[in-house]
Amino acid sequence: MAYLTEKDQIRYIELGNLVVDFSDGDVLLFDTVKDISPLYPLKPSTTLIAACFAGSQKLMTNNGSIDFSVGKVIICPPNMKVSVGEHTNDFACRVMCISDHLVGGLLRDKMDLWHHAVYVKEMNSVEMSQACQDELQLYLSLIRSKLKRKKTPTPNEIMLALLRALLLELCFALESDGNMHHEKKLTQGKVLFNRFLSLISNSQVKRMPISHYASQLAITPKYLTMLCLKYSNKTASEWVAQYTVEEIRFYLKSTDLSIKEISARLGFSNMSHFGSYVRKHLGISPSEYRFSKKS
């Protein structure tokens, strides 16, 4: 993980590279951002979460404009095109950039809701109560404090727990948002894309042929992939792989199931096939990943 001071932020933003290599972590925190326009467009597999704590700034997307002001949190998917309009002189926000794979590992039971907010609604603006605002700022301050510790580094398990707690707070806020469940307001394509993500999320065996999911949606595999590319810049196969890899990470790191049991549970025909799949996506064997320090 990485923490950047306000001085370092300016230099880092100008580099246009907001994704931290996994060797360092999957999170970037920007403690005080006066203008979020240099952050766009986001790099692939990175979601931006920003909380405004002073002033306001107008953000424009293909779907219209958002008044990003005090009390609001925005959640923005990768590759999102955002232009910035007028802002007050006192505008300031805190920003967290977090990788897709880390979000998937932390929010396994909430991914349906999260993907709806991030990919189906594109940029999502959430109005938070004062209590929620205060709690969010506390989480961000605590995470910042933990990341800055050098003499006694914070155990990774504690950082992951703090990040999960923060993301869960956002999920609860999203669930309270009146627009989250009104699918009739969405286009048919977005509804189908959202249901595709739900199907994967709720399937015990996620690594199924695209034709399997397409048939449940009563559309062709080609059309399903077209919808995925349109609304997320990922193919249907890439979504299936992402969910599958996060399941693998979870079972290898968070359970006592044997590798053979994990392979069978996730629908692989044999351990050799499972091992090849893990090496392809994680770069090492299942047993090596299980006992590695990285999560």
Side-chain angles (χ1 to χ4, degrees):
M1 297 185 182
Y3 172 77
L4 303 180
T5 64
E6 187 171 357
K7 180 179 178 180
D8 292 331
Q9 287 171 23
I10 299 174
R11 173 179 58 78
Y12 196 84
I13 292 175
E14 288 177 346
L15 293 175
N17 178 14
L18 293 176
V19 178
V20 181
D21 291 335
F22 185 64
S23 59
D24 294 326
D26 296 271
V27 178
L28 274 180
L29 291 180
F30 299 95
D31 194 40
T32 303
V33 176
K34 296 292 186 179
D35 180 5
I36 68 173
S37 58
L39 299 171
Y40 295 100
L42 297 178
K43 297 296 182 178
S45 302
T46 305
T47 295
L48 179 145
I49 301 167
C52 180
F53 60 85
S56 64
Q57 185 172 64
K58 185 77 71 175
L59 305 176
M60 280 79 73
T61 71
N62 292 333
N63 291 336
S65 63
I66 294 175
D67 183 23
F68 186 31
S69 55
V70 176
K72 289 185 178 179
V73 172
I74 58 171
I75 303 173
C76 182
N79 298 311
M80 184 72 179
K81 294 180 180 179
V82 178
S83 57
V84 177
E86 297 180 354
H87 63 85
T88 59
N89 293 331
D90 61 339
F91 172 76
C93 67
R94 279 180 166 177
V95 173
M96 178 169 70
C97 294
I98 184 168
S99 71
D100 280 356
H101 109 74
L102 184 57
V103 173
L106 295 173
L107 290 182
R108 296 179 68 255
D109 54 338
K110 294 287 185 180
M111 287 311 294
D112 186 11
L113 172 70
W114 185 263
H115 283 148
H116 185 179
V118 174
Y119 287 98
V120 177
K121 287 180 68 66
E122 297 181 351
M123 178 175 281
N124 200 85
S125 175
V126 184
E127 186 83 40
M128 304 191 77
S129 66
Q130 186 61 53
C132 289
Q133 293 175 49
D134 294 341
E135 290 174 356
L136 185 64
Q137 295 294 351
L138 284 173
Y139 278 120
L140 290 170
S141 296
L142 184 55
I143 291 171
R144 178 189 62 186
S145 174
K146 295 290 187 182
L147 288 172
K148 290 178 68 176
R149 295 174 62 177
K150 296 180 179 179
K151 292 184 178 181
T152 55
T154 302
N156 195 44
E157 292 83 359
I158 295 178
M159 284 305 309
L160 292 177
L162 289 172
L163 287 168
R164 174 170 164 79
L166 184 150
L167 292 173
L168 284 174
E169 290 284 356
L170 290 175
C171 284
F172 293 143
L174 289 169
E175 286 181 311
S176 300
D177 182 12
N179 294 323
M180 283 302 298
H181 300 292
H182 295 332
E183 287 196 339
K184 63 183 180 181
K185 294 184 179 181
L186 303 177
T187 64
Q188 182 183 15
K190 284 190 175 182
V191 170
L192 288 169
F193 173 65
N194 190 35
R195 289 177 179 168
F196 168 59
L197 296 182
S198 297
L199 284 173
I200 308 176
S201 179
N202 295 321
S203 298
Q204 180 173 334
V205 176
K206 305 183 188 311
R207 196 183 60 87
M208 301 291 286
I210 301 306
S211 57
H212 166 80
Y213 292 109
S215 65
Q216 294 188 58
L217 297 169
I219 58 177
T220 65
K222 183 177 180 179
Y223 183 56
L224 176 56
T225 289
M226 185 197 76
L227 291 175
C228 291
L229 287 170
K230 179 178 180 179
Y231 295 117
S232 69
N233 289 312
K234 294 182 182 181
T235 66
S237 296
E238 287 173 332
W239 274 112
V240 171
Q242 178 177 318
Y243 272 92
T244 302
V245 170
E246 293 315 321
E247 287 285 280
I248 292 171
R249 291 181 193 274
F250 172 76
Y251 282 112
L252 287 175
K253 287 291 187 179
S254 303
T255 75
D256 295 325
L257 293 174
S258 69
I259 293 175
K260 182 178 181 180
E261 289 173 323
I262 295 172
S263 172
R265 177 168 294 197
L266 298 183
F268 288 86
S269 57
N270 54 64
M271 288 185 62
S272 176
H273 187 194
F274 179 64
S276 298
Y277 191 91
V278 174
R279 287 188 187 90
K280 176 182 177 181
H281 291 278
L282 297 179
I284 53 180
S285 70
S287 58
E288 287 173 328
Y289 184 79
R290 166 160 272 180
F291 297 108
S292 67
K293 293 183 179 180
K294 295 179 183 179
S295 57

